Amino acid sequence: MKLKDKKNRVLRDLRISVTDRCNYRCIYCMPREVYQKYDYLKHSELLTFEEIGRIVNIFSELGVRKVRLTGGEPLVRKDIEQLISLLAQNPELDLSMTTNGSFPTTRVHSLKDAGLKRLTLSLDSLDEVVYKKMNDVDQSVENAMRWINECEKVGLGPIKINTVIKRGVNEESILPLVERFKGTPYILRFIEFMDVGTTNSWKMDDVVTEKEIIATINSKYPLQPIAPNYSGEVARRYEFADGSGELGVIASVTQAFCGACSRMRLSAHGSLYLCLFANKGTDLRSMIRGGASDEEISLFIQNLWTGRSNRYSEERSEAKTNTDKVEMSFIGG
Ligand code: SF4
C-alpha cells in the first residue's frame, strides 16, 4: 500500500521511541539542568512490547518498511532484545536502532542475534574532553569505538555515525572524525544543531551550517556531492574526490528536506507524531487498551497521515522556533 499525505509524501518509515529516559545528558537534546529532576513516564504508561508489535504490524500493512528504535536511549529499556525478536518476525521490515554506544559490547551480539539489521551510533567527538562536554556524562569515547569494532565483527555494519555539531563546543572535532573514518566503510553524518523541543537553548548562532562543515572538510579532503540513495533520505551525501568513501550532512536547519519526509513517530507512551518538531501528538494507546480492532486502528492511522501537511523545517521562523514543541528525547530523532 502507498499511503500519501497532503504533500503526496508516502508513509514508509516509523520511528519508535521505546523510552523517554537516557543515561546521557547531551546538551542539544537532554540538558542536565532540565532532565536531572524530570517527571519521566512510569512503566505502566509505556506501551508493552506486544502493543508495539501489534502497532508495527498494522503500519507494515500500510506500507511501512523501515522501523527505527530510538529513545531517549533505547538500551535503557529493559529486555529490548525481546521487542527486536518480536519485530524481526516480519521479514519485510528493515529494523534499525540508534544508540549512544555506552552499554557493554556484549549487547552488540544480543541485538544482532535478536534480529537487528542496522545500527547508528551517536559519537560527537573523538576527543574525550569535548565528548564529555557534548554529552555531559562521565562516559568514554573508547566504549563507543569498541561498539564500532564489535558491530563489524558480528556483521551489523557498516554502521552510520551521527555527530551533532554545536558552535563553540565541537566544530574542531570535524576533521579528526573525518580522518578516523575516511577510507573505512563507516558513514559519518554531521548533523546541524536543531531547535528541537524547548529545552536545549537553541540559537541560530550556535548552528554550524552544512556549508561551513563541508568547507572545513573540503579545505583538506576535496568532496563532491552525490545523489541520494533513495527519495526522502535525510542525509545529503558527499564522496571524497580521491574515492576513499563518503559522508553525509543532515542539514535540517539550512537545507530543509520536508519535501519527501516519509516518517511518522511513535512515543513510548503510545502517541503518534507527524513531525520531529510537532507541538502535540495523537493518542493511540487508549484505542489499543480500549479494545479497538486492527481495522479501526489502521483507519485511524490512515486518516492521520492523509491529513498531514507538516513541513516545519521549510517554515522555520523566529516565531515558530519559540513555540511549544515535543522534546526529541520523547519521540526519538
Ligand atoms: S521538519 Fe518535520 S516534516 Fe520536515 S523533514 Fe523533519 S520531521 Fe519531516
Side-chain angles (χ1 to χ4, degrees):
M1 178 187 240
K2 275 197 170 193
L3 200 58
K4 291 187 175 177
D5 71 5
K6 282 192 171 164
K7 305 266 173 208
N8 254 345
R9 298 169 293 188
V10 177
L11 173 62
R12 199 192 39 233
D13 304 55
L14 180 63
R15 298 197 170 180
I16 304 175
S17 168
V18 293
T19 176
D20 61 342
R21 297 168 191 258
C22 185
N23 59 335
Y24 274 29
R25 289 289 174 269
C26 301
I27 56 176
Y28 51 85
C29 178
M30 289 181 90
R32 183 174 296 283
E33 58 277 14
V34 176
Y35 288 92
Q36 212 46 21
K37 290 196 178 60
Y38 186 78
D39 193 12
Y40 292 99
L41 293 170
K42 299 179 193 54
H43 192 73
S44 59
E45 295 176 283
L46 300 179
L47 290 178
T48 64
F49 292 162
E50 291 65 33
E51 288 171 334
I52 296 174
R54 185 178 169 206
I55 293 170
V56 170
N57 284 341
I58 295 168
F59 269 97
S60 93
E61 298 283 322
L62 294 172
V64 162
R65 289 294 168 267
K66 287 176 173 252
V67 171
R68 177 171 291 277
L69 301 179
T70 68
E73 165 53 46
L75 290 170
V76 166
R77 178 87 186 249
K78 200 164 165 295
D79 302 328
I80 190 69
E81 282 88 349
Q82 287 176 18
L83 173 62
I84 292 169
S85 308
L86 189 64
L87 299 180
Q89 289 168 17
N90 181 342
E92 294 195 304
L93 290 181
D94 173 8
L95 207 46
S96 62
M97 174 187 275
T98 304
T99 178
N100 59 30
S102 62
F103 285 70
T105 52
T106 47
R107 300 297 294 275
V108 174
H109 297 260
S110 55
L111 292 170
K112 170 73 178 167
D113 297 345
L116 192 70
K117 299 236 178 79
R118 295 185 298 115
L119 191 119
T120 298
L121 192 94
S122 306
L123 180 66
D124 296 323
S125 182
L126 294 175
D127 177 304
E128 290 288 357
V129 175
V130 179
Y131 183 76
K132 287 183 175 59
K133 256 198 213 151
M134 287 295 282
N135 307 318
D136 197 9
V137 282
D138 190 16
Q139 292 275 358
S140 134
V141 172
E142 261 174 57
N143 201 64
M145 297 307 285
R146 276 197 286 273
W147 263 71
I148 293 173
N149 299 337
E150 213 62 29
C151 285
E152 178 144 357
K153 263 193 236 150
V154 303
L156 245 184
I159 67 168
K160 292 182 177 158
I161 297 164
N162 280 0
T163 303
V164 175
I165 300 293
K166 185 176 180 188
R167 194 181 303 285
V169 187
N170 68 333
E171 65 266 47
E172 302 303 323
S173 296
I174 294 172
L175 282 175
L177 281 159
V178 168
E179 279 148 11
R180 172 63 186 78
F181 294 110
K182 186 173 178 294
T184 75
Y186 307 120
I187 301 174
L188 263 177
R189 292 145 21 119
F190 293 104
I191 304 177
E192 289 181 342
F193 174 38
M194 292 184 284
D195 52 330
V196 283
T198 57
T199 61
N200 69 5
S201 313
W202 184 86
K203 297 196 303 301
M204 189 59 204
D205 294 350
D206 294 338
V207 176
V208 179
T209 65
E210 175 188 18
K211 203 160 167 235
E212 292 172 278
I213 293 169
I214 295 300
T216 302
I217 302 168
N218 228 359
S219 65
K220 209 165 174 197
Y221 307 104
L223 289 166
Q224 58 225 17
I226 49 176
N229 289 306
Y230 54 87
S231 156
E233 184 171 20
V234 290
R236 293 154 60 87
R237 299 171 66 211
Y238 292 83
E239 68 181 2
F240 293 103
D242 65 4
S244 61
E246 67 170 277
L247 55 80
V249 180
I250 300 176
S252 162
V253 179
T254 62
Q255 300 287 342
F257 39 82
C258 306
C261 179
S262 57
R263 294 168 288 282
M264 202 186 285
R265 291 172 169 85
L266 176 66
S267 67
H269 76 336
S271 284
L272 292 169
Y273 293 79
L274 295 172
C275 173
L276 177 58
F277 301 90
N279 303 101
K280 61 179 177 25
T282 307
D283 176 30
L284 192 61
R285 186 187 61 197
S286 41
M287 273 188 88
I288 290 189
R289 294 185 180 174
S293 67
D294 285 6
E295 292 67 33
E296 287 166 328
I297 294 167
S298 176
L299 205 55
F300 181 81
I301 295 169
Q302 292 176 51
N303 291 337
L304 200 57
W305 185 263
T306 51
R308 176 192 189 232
S309 59
N310 302 64
R311 53 192 191 91
Y312 175 90
S313 285
E314 285 176 357
E315 301 166 327
R316 182 180 278 109
S317 67
E318 196 60 35
K320 275 189 177 274
T321 294
N322 300 325
T323 53
D324 205 9
K325 290 173 269 135
V326 64
E327 296 300 330
M328 181 162 75
S329 59
F330 198 74
I331 57 169

